[in-house]
Each structure stands twice: as structure tokens, then as C-alpha cells.
Amino acid sequence: MAAGLGVAAGLDADGRATVLAGAGAAILLLGLGLSTRRSAAIPVAVLLLGALHLIPDGGRSIDTVIYGSGLLLSAELAYWSIDEHGRRPVEPGVFSPRLLAIVAVVVAGIPASLMVYLAAGVDISRSAASTAAGAAAIVACLTLLAAMARGRFRRD
Amino acid sequence: MTLSLSPRLRIYTALAATALIGALAFGRPDLAVLATPFVVFLGVAFVGAPLELDGRLELERERVLEGENVRATITVQNRGAPARVEVRPPELERSRTRASPIEWWQPAGEDHAATFELAIERWGLLTVGPVAVRAHDRLAAFTLEGALGGARELRAYPRVDRLQRLVAPLRNRPVLGSQVSRERGEGIEFADLRPLLPGDRVRSINWRASARRGVPYVNVQHPEHSADVVLFLDTFAEAERAEPGTLDAAVHAAAALASTYLTRRDRVALVSFGGVVSWLAGSPGTRQLYRIVDALLASHVKPTFRWTDITHVPGHLLPARAVVLALSPLLDERGIGALLDLRARGYDLIVIEISPLALGDAGSRGLPLRLWRLQREALRARFERLGVPVARWEPPHTDFDLVIEEVIAYRRHARAIPRV
């Protein structure tokens, strides 16, 4: 999955060789992380793959909608692979719920990303007020997530 | 149960926050688009029913024999969100289990039972459980970990071997039994001839001897009596490197001795003499064997500095005619002192030394070990000077029957002076 993302990033870019080299480095990092079971390598590889998609392009692209979900899928599969390492044989039907849930979230991420993409296309002049509104939206989003997480712990 | 958040969710939050702030700071909406699936993932992970598990642990039976297997069933009730549940085998003190953890997917509101086969490798009052359980939600975003099912008590009885021979006491109790007494009276085993006395039965007249001597002679027999046996378990200290330790060996030996003596209709008492002194009054019969084995289950070494001597044992437990079979590693001065005290009080004492050397590196040439061996030799010699046989048993290298044979041989040639 990560290799596919790397190749996709390389094909679109102007400096194809540089981007492919970067993608190779990200995949190598991910491979090392998986083989040594160090999950710290995964976010670095995800960041690198994300940057490779964005930096050479410089503009707004519809591919990003799929690319973001692809990054999430890569990260989830990588984390899952590390989670499963060393586990004993399990009863049938243990893996499918997680796989289905990941696929469902990844698929649900595509229309959500599309909405953000379309919203980004609305022509709003950059001003202090719009920046403040954007910052407030980010803060609100993170606060909401934090509150939901805290709610889970309070219930348990 | 403890609920924890997957570390990757924090990483996703950080990645999404960085991308969103970057999008705002650099005017790059693509960054926000890339971050959106991660935000959706976080939202989905945080929404939904919490994980909640309950469970109970059940044992197939509460009494087993050492070396047998017992099935433990943990029933997990899922009262929260659907979860992937991983159950580890129940904890079993001082025993090992070959069972592996089991994992399954458990929908909400359903019960699921997992069965483990536990190999009971050691006798004792064992505590089985609780069971370590770990559950993840669908996205493995939250993990619920903890112990379920509580603890159950399992009575694992020691293996009771039957001995080929037993040490005969110097004096028996005047109750019918299976041991040929040294005394003379009515029985089966011929003892001697004596002239007829008033009151003798006619059928006891030895006609051949009477005809030869010209006066009536009667046969005298050794009567079959039973014995009073006191099993004295020294629980002040034990040597244990790997199982079984000296206490394990002592318990097995005590069970074997009790079982064999009781089949001969002897009266057997048990004294567990250590940090905690406990006893079981002498009694014959099969029921006493069960009582002794039950009492042996509670045997354990409790380290203490309290000085306990033989006066702590009630007098009626130690009948004057009793043979006291002491099972001791001879490691603690208090235990050794109690044995010497028993001998000084005139009891027919036999010491079975459960050698701790069998558990260590017996071949070592180190000076401390050599000195310790010399000390133990001196101690044995001290006992033997008092007429007390000290038979060294090195389990599992030596058979316990051989130890009994050694005691019998010793007593045949160096007879202890009975209590007057």
C-alpha cells in the first residue's frame, strides 16, 4: 500500500527521481519498523509519504482525497501488523471485524476529504478574521475529539 | 479492569493537528484534505459503546490428585461494545500450565466460555485464578485489561505411595493389630515354651515338649499388636531450588508412611512443627488417612524467629510407646533441638533426613560446602550416639523404601533404649 502511494506520488511529481527516492526511503523505514516491530517508524513514514505528495505538487489536487485515505490505510495495516506479531493462533472470525472497520473508516474518509477539498475551493480572501475562524475550527475539532476520548474514560 | 488508549490514536491526533495547523499557516488546503481521514478515524474510534466485560471462573472439580489435570472454564460476559477478547490461562501458584492464551471475537451482550486444561504438578491448597483478560474494540483504539473471574481454591492431594516395609516400634500398644509384638502372650507367632501354670488353656500345651520333659509345657506366642506412630514434620525451613523441595519430599514421605501404617491398623498422629505448630491426634483407620492428607495440604514453611520447643506440642499427642518418625532437612536449630529433646524424653525416635544436598551442587568442592557437610556429619553422629538412627534420603535419587530398609537395618544392630 505504501509502495503504491510512493509510486503515485512519484508519477505526478516534476522531479520524479527525487520523489521516488524519498518514497523508497519511506518504504524502507516502514519495512524496518515492521521487521523490528518498532511502531515509531510508522508516523515518520506516513509524514514522509504525505510530504512527498504535497511538496512537489504545490497546488490543490483531487488525488489528495484518495491519497489521504491511502495513508490512513497504510498506517492502520502497519500498526495492525505490529499488534499481531507473536500472537498465538486465534479462533476464526477474529480478524474480519477489524479489517471491515478499517475499510469502512477509510472509505468514509473519502467523502469527508472530498467535502474538505470542495470547501477549499470556495474563494475566500485571506484575512485575519478567516485565519482566526480556521484556528477556532481546528481548536474546536481537537477539543471535541479530546472531550469524546475523556467521555469514554469517564464511562469506564 | 483498566482502560487504555492506543498510542497510535495520540499519534494520529498529532499528525492531524499538525496538518490542519500547517494548512492554515501556509494556506495549503491539501494538508487539511490529507488530515481529514485521520480526523474521521479519531471520531469513529471515540464514538460508540465502551468496553465492559464480566466473567466467572469455574473449576471442573475442587479436589484433584497431584499430577492430574483439571479443567478451568472462564465464561466471559460482554456487557459493552463488541470486542476481541484475549484470555490467558488462570494463574496457578507454584504450578505450571501448558495451556496457551485464547482469543476470540465476542459480539455485544453475548457470553463466551473458554476452557483451559491445567496440569497440577504440586500438592497443596492452590489458588486458581483470576484470569488475565485483554479486550480491544473493533478498531483496537481502546484496550481493556484486567483480571476476571476471581480466585478459586483447589485442593491438590499429594501422591500417596505404598511402602514395602515399615519400621517396627520398640513397644506396641496393647490393642489388636498386625505387628508382631516383642512381648509374650496369645498370638500366632511362636515365642517360647514355659511350664504349665494354673489358668493356662489345654490347647496351648505343647504335647511333644511335655512328653520329652515329663512335665506339661505350654507354647507362648508373640501377640499381634498395633503401634502408635507419630509423624513429626519439621517445617521450620526447607531447601528448594527447583521443585520438589525438601518439604515436598517430606509431605510425600509422610503420606506414604501414614497410608502404610494405617493399613496395618496402627494409630497415626501428625505433628507439623515449625513457625506454626499444628497437629492431628492419633487415630487408626482410613478416615485418619484422609485427615492426615488434608492436614498435610496446609503444610508450609513460615519463616519466623520465634523459638518453638517441644513443650508446645500437647502431651497426649506423644504416647510413651509411640515411635516418632521425624522428617526433617535438619536445617534449623529449633527443629534439631526439638528432636534432641524428644530423644532426651525417652521417645523411640527415628530421623529421616531429607538431604538438602540433593538439591544443590553436591559435587562442589567449595570450602563452605565442605564445612557445612562436616557440620551435618557431626550432627548425624550426635544423633547416633544417642541411639537415634538418621537415615539420609536424597529425593528423587533415592527410593524411600531404601531409607526405611536402612532404618530397619540400623535398629536390628544398634537397638535404641526404650523409655522406661
Side-chain angles (χ1 to χ4, degrees):
Chain A
M1 187 70 209
L5 290 174
V7 170
L11 289 176
D12 289 349
D14 297 333
R16 187 175 293 176
T18 316
V19 173
L20 285 176
I27 292 158
L28 185 70
L29 191 64
L30 197 60
L32 279 172
L34 291 179
S35 57
T36 58
R37 296 181 296 284
R38 291 188 187 279
S39 61
I42 298 169
V44 180
V46 167
L47 261 179
L48 192 55
L49 284 170
L52 288 173
H53 177 73
L54 292 174
I55 292 168
D57 196 9
R60 181 170 153 268
S61 162
I62 188 72
D63 301 347
T64 315
V65 172
I66 306 293
Y67 200 87
S69 289
L71 277 181
L72 175 65
L73 184 59
S74 304
E76 273 301 292
L77 293 178
Y79 276 116
W80 193 4
S81 167
I82 290 175
D83 283 353
E84 292 297 332
H85 184 85
R87 291 221 173 153
R88 279 88 176 170
V90 294
E91 287 186 11
V94 167
F95 298 123
S96 50
R98 184 167 179 181
L99 184 64
L100 287 174
I102 290 171
V103 170
V105 173
V106 166
V107 170
I110 294 171
S113 301
L114 190 64
M115 279 172 63
V116 174
Y117 175 79
L118 293 174
V122 177
D123 189 23
I124 301 170
S125 57
R126 193 173 172 86
S127 64
S130 63
T131 307
I138 293 169
V139 170
C141 176
L142 294 175
T143 309
L144 180 67
L145 288 173
M148 286 159 76
R150 281 184 65 189
R152 284 289 293 267
F153 281 98
R154 200 173 297 129
R155 269 187 287 178
D156 287 299
Chain B
M1 303 278 279
T2 314
L3 184 74
S4 58
L5 185 71
S6 168
R8 78 183 198 284
L9 265 70
R10 293 194 181 93
I11 290 167
Y12 287 174
T13 310
L15 281 176
T18 309
L20 291 172
I21 292 165
L24 192 67
F26 302 115
R28 292 287 305 268
D30 282 15
L31 275 168
V33 176
L34 274 186
T36 305
F38 289 89
V39 175
V40 170
F41 183 92
L42 291 168
V44 172
F46 293 147
V47 172
L51 293 169
E52 195 179 342
L53 296 177
D54 204 352
R56 61 175 189 276
L57 178 67
E58 284 164 347
L59 295 177
E60 180 190 20
R61 49 209 162 111
E62 289 170 352
R63 291 159 194 261
V64 287
L65 273 177
E66 178 185 27
E68 284 187 341
N69 287 359
V70 66
R71 278 184 190 168
T73 303
I74 172 83
T75 306
V76 179
Q77 296 142 1
N78 189 353
R79 303 194 189 286
R84 175 176 173 171
V85 180
E86 180 187 346
V87 174
R88 298 194 165 274
E91 289 167 18
L92 188 58
E93 56 178 339
R94 299 190 71 182
S95 275
R96 288 181 289 273
T97 174
R98 288 180 291 276
S100 312
I102 300 174
E103 281 186 68
W104 65 83
W105 178 256
Q106 191 164 355
E110 286 192 8
D111 292 2
H112 190 286
T115 303
F116 295 96
E117 192 90 15
L118 305 176
I120 309 301
E121 295 177 348
R122 189 190 183 268
W123 57 272
L125 286 172
L126 305 177
T127 306
V128 182
V131 177
V133 175
R134 186 160 53 179
H136 305 284
D137 60 1
R138 266 184 211 281
L139 287 169
F142 289 91
T143 303
L144 189 66
E145 276 182 292
L148 269 190
R152 295 281 174 277
E153 192 181 82
L154 180 69
R155 300 178 82 85
Y157 291 99
R159 190 184 59 254
V160 179
D161 297 326
R162 194 56 64 85
L163 301 172
Q164 300 293 321
R165 292 189 68 189
L166 284 175
V167 182
L170 294 177
R171 291 202 297 170
N172 294 89
R173 58 195 272 259
V175 176
L176 187 66
S178 308
Q179 299 216 46
V180 178
S181 172
R182 291 168 201 276
E183 290 157 27
R184 290 170 185 189
E186 287 201 10
I188 298 169
E189 198 83 12
F190 175 79
D192 205 354
L193 288 172
R194 65 164 172 77
L196 180 76
L197 292 173
D200 282 340
R201 294 181 188 176
V202 176
R203 70 175 184 185
S204 63
I205 295 174
N206 187 323
W207 296 106
R208 196 184 291 263
S210 303
R212 198 178 297 132
R213 297 183 185 189
V215 285
Y217 266 75
V218 293
N219 290 333
V220 183
Q221 290 94 9
H222 290 295
E224 282 77 34
H225 282 168
S226 66
D228 266 318
V229 180
V230 177
L231 301 174
F232 188 93
L233 213 63
D234 177 358
T235 57
F236 274 112
E238 73 169 321
E240 189 182 42
R241 175 178 275 187
E243 298 216 30
T246 55
L247 183 66
D248 290 79
V251 164
H252 282 122
L257 286 166
S259 163
T260 319
Y261 273 113
L262 287 168
T263 53
R264 290 173 24 160
R265 286 180 284 180
D266 294 330
R267 201 163 64 165
V268 181
L270 176 75
V271 178
S272 183
F273 194 76
V276 177
V277 181
S278 59
W279 59 80
L280 195 65
S283 181
T286 312
R287 197 177 293 175
Q288 178 71 353
L289 177 62
Y290 292 127
R291 281 195 215 109
I292 287 176
V293 174
D294 255 341
L296 286 173
L297 286 190
S299 303
H300 65 282
V301 171
K302 187 181 179 189
T304 173
F305 294 103
R306 196 177 63 182
W307 189 269
T308 313
D309 60 25
I310 204 66
T311 55
H312 288 81
V313 180
H316 71 271
L317 276 174
L318 300 165
R321 292 162 178 262
V323 56
V324 181
L325 282 151
L327 298 153
S328 167
L330 298 180
L331 287 172
D332 194 282
E333 283 298 322
R334 291 165 294 183
I336 296 164
L339 295 177
L340 292 169
D341 198 359
L342 276 173
R343 182 62 200 134
R345 287 162 191 248
Y347 284 101
D348 177 11
L349 177 67
I350 295 162
V351 177
I352 293 166
E353 178 202 348
I354 301 158
S355 176
L357 287 166
L359 300 165
D361 188 3
S364 171
R365 306 291 299 165
L367 182 63
L369 184 63
R370 275 163 36 215
L371 282 172
W372 188 51
R373 279 165 177 267
L374 279 173
Q375 278 180 350
R376 293 182 72 81
E377 288 294 338
L379 181 64
R380 265 180 231 121
R382 188 178 171 193
F383 273 110
E384 283 168 8
R385 275 198 304 277
L386 293 168
V388 177
V390 181
R392 188 162 49 174
W393 182 30
E394 294 187 348
H397 312 300
T398 324
D399 194 61
F400 191 59
D401 269 312
L402 290 176
V403 178
I404 297 296
E405 284 293 342
E406 189 185 330
V407 175
I408 293 169
Y410 178 93
R411 282 162 73 94
R412 194 179 297 135
H413 298 295
R415 187 161 293 168
I417 306 151
R419 183 179 179 174
V420 182

